[in-house]
């Protein structure tokens, strides 16, 4: 395994900054949809006693929830916050671990790219056939489906980005380094919200 700096990127600095900004921007957009869920749910709860009804409020909440989840995936992956099962890989060291990291990242890239392809195809088909929702308010389905397609495409890009990084000898950036002391352990526990 190469001893390359794990922060080093094989991409030019402008591209690395652009990709990181893209992932972060999608994460912020996911956060905006999280706030939208809160506002809609609060409006639905507060409106009931006042006799105010928000048409299709449940539909909009569900679409915002999907947008929140999918748009934040790439940023969550790059921030080493996705749940990762390391039962086998954590027992490996050196070249064996590096090879398994490459294999896992390649499999993840292929799997996420497959889902992204079909999400984009579904969104395109909905746009092409002018599909609309069946709720109280007719919404063109490609609009809420777009968040899933974009989120999965960005996650596929993030996986491919990481695969290239690991292939060229970098340490995976999607995992946090081991805890070195008790204070760091406590800080990580507080950051995770556990």
């Amino acid at each position: 395994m190469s001893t390359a700096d794990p922060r080093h990127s094989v991409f030019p600095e402008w591209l690395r900054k652009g990709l990181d900004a893209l992932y972060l921007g999608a994460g912020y957009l996911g956060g905006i949809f999280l706030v939208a869920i809160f506002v809609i749910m609060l409006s639905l709860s507060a409106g009931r006693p006042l006799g105010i009804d928000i048409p299709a409020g449940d539909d909009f909440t569900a679409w915002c929830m999907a947008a929140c989840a999918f748009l934040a995936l790439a940023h969550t992956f790059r921030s080493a916050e996705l749940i990762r099962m390391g039962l086998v890989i954590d027992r490996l060291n050196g070249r064996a671990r590096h090879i398994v990291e490459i294999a896992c990242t390649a499999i993840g890239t292929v799997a996420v790219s497959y889902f992204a392809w079909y999400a984009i195809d579904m969104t395109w088909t909905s746009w092409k056939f002018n599909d609309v929702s069946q709720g109280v308010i007719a919404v063109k389905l490609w609009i809420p489906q777009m968040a899933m397609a974009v989120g999965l495409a960005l996650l596929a890009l993030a996986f491919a980005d990481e695969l290239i990084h690991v292939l060229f000898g970098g340490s995976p950036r999607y995992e946090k380094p081991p805890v070195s002391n008790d204070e760091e352990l406590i800080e990580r526990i507080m950051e995770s919200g556990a």
Side-chain angles (χ1 to χ4, degrees):
M1 183 168 113
S2 172
T3 57
D5 181 4
R7 296 171 306 245
H8 178 72
S9 176
V10 296
F11 298 120
E13 186 176 341
W14 64 269
L15 182 57
R16 173 80 274 138
K17 285 183 178 181
L19 287 171
D20 289 341
L22 185 63
Y23 306 145
L24 182 62
Y28 278 127
L29 192 55
I32 290 170
F33 279 103
L34 183 64
V35 172
I37 293 167
F38 170 74
V39 169
I40 294 169
M41 294 300 292
L42 188 63
S43 300
L44 286 169
S45 297
R48 280 191 190 105
L50 301 173
I52 300 171
D53 183 36
I54 298 176
D58 293 338
D59 292 339
F60 286 108
T61 302
W63 292 327
C64 286
M65 192 175 302
C68 173
F70 282 101
L71 288 171
L73 282 174
H75 176 68
T76 305
F77 173 69
R78 291 283 296 152
S79 300
E81 295 296 335
L82 277 181
I83 296 172
R84 183 166 188 257
M85 300 303 292
L87 187 62
V88 174
I89 202 167
D90 287 344
R91 297 180 190 277
L92 301 174
N93 291 316
R95 184 151 176 77
R97 182 177 180 129
H98 188 68
I99 290 169
V100 172
E101 290 283 2
I102 290 171
C104 290
T105 309
I107 291 167
T109 302
V110 169
V112 173
S113 297
Y114 174 82
F115 291 124
W117 173 264
Y118 281 99
I120 292 167
D121 183 57
M122 177 186 67
T123 304
W124 173 258
T125 302
S126 292
W127 178 77
K128 188 167 58 173
F129 290 112
N130 203 24
D131 287 343
V132 293
S133 65
Q134 300 295 316
V136 176
I137 299 176
V139 174
K140 294 182 184 292
L141 283 178
W142 67 267
I143 297 170
Q145 290 170 350
M146 180 73 76
M148 181 177 71
V150 169
L152 284 171
L154 287 174
L155 183 61
L157 179 64
F159 261 93
D161 175 8
E162 196 63 25
L163 176 60
I164 292 168
H165 175 75
V166 174
L167 275 172
F168 281 91
S171 297
R173 295 172 292 193
Y174 51 77
E175 67 178 6
K176 292 183 179 178
V179 176
S180 59
N181 57 42
D182 292 341
E183 289 82 24
E184 189 176 342
L185 176 64
I186 292 169
E187 184 177 325
R188 283 203 192 165
I189 291 170
M190 289 173 55
E191 284 177 0
S192 71

